[in-house]
């Protein structure tokens, strides 16, 4: 294996993603080639330093902002709380309407014998 | 495929349970924000896109069939929205530490075998900044794979599920990305070592 072939396999070699034969070839080359050994050490250091990059955290009010957006774009209808808030009154409303219609009907029936509409 | 915890959470999300949604955001916001921030290299854009990701999740949760992990699905949405935003902005991402006023070192051809080890000359915040700058100099495809692998510590299989790329493509992009970061760190290290950090690199071959 030449320098270039070895260096092209650095990434997969480091992640143990090479087959046993290729792994052996890379290792043999690294054992005999000082330049590539040096390059591989730097390569490993590079990958390791990427892992030490501190994660960027979201601002403190991030979640709040998400909820704000969901509510704004959906007019509050996406959350079941709100949906239930709409559905329950509707059911009650229909019940109240039904009772009211029956009550008015009964009122008319009851009141008519006393002459309001019998003339 | 989904853990019990994930399955329960998804069911509650599909029921539009506000508490479940809050749980989702608090569980994944750090990972998603970090991915988006490193992809875009800009805090304000990152916040906007990361919030948009969760908003999208909430809108399309019904289409989540559970054949991937919830985190994989989230990452996929985030990754796609980053790409859309980059396309929309039509520019290269800014340096991750743009508030420092310095844009680090341009990618240079300096790559001699005599280059000092990146760590030998770059430390702490300087190294951080050099890495952040190096990330912004990668092309979007390389950066995506590198961030998922080396910053978010995902497996090749997970990256494959997120990006829907064949493993060979992931490996070659990752290799090129890592080599590019290495070159950049070597160049940045050399400049720092020679005391030229305050000068533009232009006077250096
Ligand atoms: Zn060699």
């Amino acid at each position: 294996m030449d320098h270039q072939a070895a260096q092209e396999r650095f990434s997969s070699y480091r992640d143990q993603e090479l087959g046993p034969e290729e792994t052996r070839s890379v290792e043999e080359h690294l054992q005999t080639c000082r330049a590539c050994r040096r390059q591989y050490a730097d390569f490993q250091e590079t990958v390791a330093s990427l892992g030490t990059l501190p994660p960027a955290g979201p601002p403190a009010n991030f979640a709040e902002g998400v909820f704000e957006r969901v509510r704004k774009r959906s007019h509050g209808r996406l959350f079941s709380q709100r949906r239930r808030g709409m559905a329950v009154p509707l059911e009650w409303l229909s019940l109240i309407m039904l009772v009211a219609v029956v009550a008015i009907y009964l009122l008319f029936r009851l009141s008519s014998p006393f002459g309001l509409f019998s003339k | 495929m989904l853990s019990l915890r994930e399955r329960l959470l998804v069911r509650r999300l599909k029921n539009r349970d506000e508490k479940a949604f809050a749980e989702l955001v608090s569980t994944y916001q750090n990972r998603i924000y970090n991915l988006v921030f490193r992809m875009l290299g800009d805090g304000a854009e990152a916040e906007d896109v990361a919030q948009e990701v969760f908003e999208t999740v909430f809108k399309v949760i019904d289409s989540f069939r559970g054949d991937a992990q919830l985190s994989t699905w989230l990452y996929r949405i985030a990754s796609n929205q980053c790409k859309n935003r980059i396309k929309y902005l039509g520019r290269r991402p800014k340096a991750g530490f743009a508030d420092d006023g310095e844009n680090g070192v341009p990618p240079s051809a300096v790559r001699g075998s005599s280059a000092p080890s990146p760590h030998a000359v770059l430390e702490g915040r300087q190294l951080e900044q050099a890495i952040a700058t190096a990330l912004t100099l990668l092309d979007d495809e390389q950066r995506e794979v590198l961030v998922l692998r080396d910053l978010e510590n995902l497996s090749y299989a997970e990256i494959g599920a997120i990006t829907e790329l064949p493993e060979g493509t992931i490996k070659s992009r990752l290799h090129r990305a890592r080599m590019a970061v290495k070159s950049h760190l070597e160049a940045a290290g050399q400049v720092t070592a020679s005391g030229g950090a305050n000068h533009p690199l232009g006077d250096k071959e």
Side-chain angles (χ1 to χ4, degrees):
Chain A
M1 187 174 272
D2 62 14
H3 306 298
Q4 203 193 334
Q7 295 194 9
E8 271 167 9
R9 285 165 179 75
F10 275 179
S11 186
S12 296
Y13 175 67
R14 186 217 167 258
D15 289 346
Q16 298 175 334
E17 289 283 332
L18 292 178
E21 239 169 78
E22 276 188 303
T23 302
R24 210 175 314 120
S25 301
V26 171
E27 275 165 2
E28 271 168 22
H29 183 86
L30 288 178
Q31 267 159 24
T32 56
C33 176
R34 202 164 165 247
C36 282
R37 212 157 51 228
R38 173 68 194 271
Q39 287 297 315
Y40 185 64
D42 283 2
F43 180 85
Q44 272 190 307
E45 245 176 345
T46 299
V47 177
S49 67
L50 283 165
T52 65
L53 196 63
N61 58 354
F62 180 83
E64 232 168 87
V66 173
F67 278 83
E68 185 90 349
R69 288 168 79 123
V70 171
R71 289 208 184 88
K72 203 176 282 172
R73 302 241 172 128
S74 63
H75 307 286
R77 241 169 274 136
L78 275 177
F79 292 119
S80 57
Q81 270 188 347
R82 304 286 182 117
R83 252 192 355 185
R84 217 179 287 132
M86 287 294 287
V88 171
L90 270 180
E91 282 162 16
W92 278 102
L93 199 64
S94 51
L95 193 65
I96 290 164
M97 292 271 282
L98 191 69
V99 171
V101 167
V102 172
I104 289 166
Y105 174 77
L106 287 176
L107 262 175
F108 280 137
R109 284 292 298 261
L110 286 174
S111 58
S112 37
F114 295 98
L116 262 177
F117 295 100
S118 57
K119 255 192 187 162
Chain B
M1 191 143 194
L2 290 187
S3 70
L4 179 63
R5 191 182 161 273
E6 275 186 319
R7 254 181 296 157
L8 291 175
L9 182 63
V10 168
R11 191 190 301 164
R12 286 165 59 211
L13 286 172
K14 288 186 177 178
N15 287 332
R16 308 286 168 201
D17 179 341
E18 184 166 356
K19 277 200 185 121
F21 191 55
E23 217 174 292
L24 178 87
V25 175
S26 82
T27 305
Y28 294 103
Q29 63 176 352
N30 287 341
R31 272 175 277 175
I32 294 300
Y33 182 85
N34 190 43
L35 169 71
V36 172
F37 179 76
R38 293 303 176 192
M39 284 291 287
L40 299 175
D42 177 285
E45 293 290 346
E47 186 180 353
D48 190 47
V49 171
Q51 288 186 340
E52 195 179 273
V53 168
F54 286 105
E55 193 184 342
T56 304
V57 166
F58 200 73
K59 275 183 197 159
V60 301
I61 186 70
D62 287 324
S63 71
F64 178 69
R65 294 187 314 276
D67 44 11
Q69 282 187 345
L70 187 58
S71 60
T72 302
W73 191 66
L74 281 169
Y75 274 126
R76 194 184 304 159
I77 292 174
S79 167
N80 285 334
Q81 291 193 345
C82 283
K83 285 181 212 159
N84 289 341
R85 182 60 62 100
I86 289 167
K87 228 176 278 167
Y88 173 77
L89 293 171
R91 59 159 170 75
R92 307 295 304 166
K94 290 191 223 157
F97 293 91
D99 52 315
D100 281 1
E102 266 181 36
N103 228 9
V105 184
S108 144
V110 190
R111 199 198 283 219
S113 59
S114 64
S117 147
H119 270 258
V121 285
L122 289 175
E123 283 178 73
R125 184 141 171 77
Q126 241 181 340
L127 178 63
E128 244 173 63
Q129 167 140 20
I131 294 170
T133 305
L135 290 180
T136 67
L137 297 169
L138 297 174
D139 73 45
D140 304 326
E141 293 176 338
Q142 290 178 13
R143 187 171 47 251
E144 176 186 32
V145 174
L146 184 94
V147 169
L148 292 173
R149 175 74 189 149
D150 289 332
L151 274 62
E152 305 269 337
N153 293 313
L154 301 181
S155 70
Y156 283 77
E158 284 173 294
I159 297 170
I162 292 163
T163 59
E164 293 167 313
L165 291 170
E167 195 163 293
T169 308
I170 294 171
K171 283 181 179 173
S172 68
R173 281 186 190 172
L174 182 61
H175 178 72
R176 275 180 283 133
R178 285 167 161 178
M179 291 301 260
V181 172
K182 173 175 172 284
S183 300
H184 179 81
L185 293 187
E186 281 165 355
Q190 242 185 18
V191 174
T192 312
S194 63
N198 296 327
H199 305 291
L201 198 72
D203 55 19
K204 174 130 201 142
E205 68 188 292

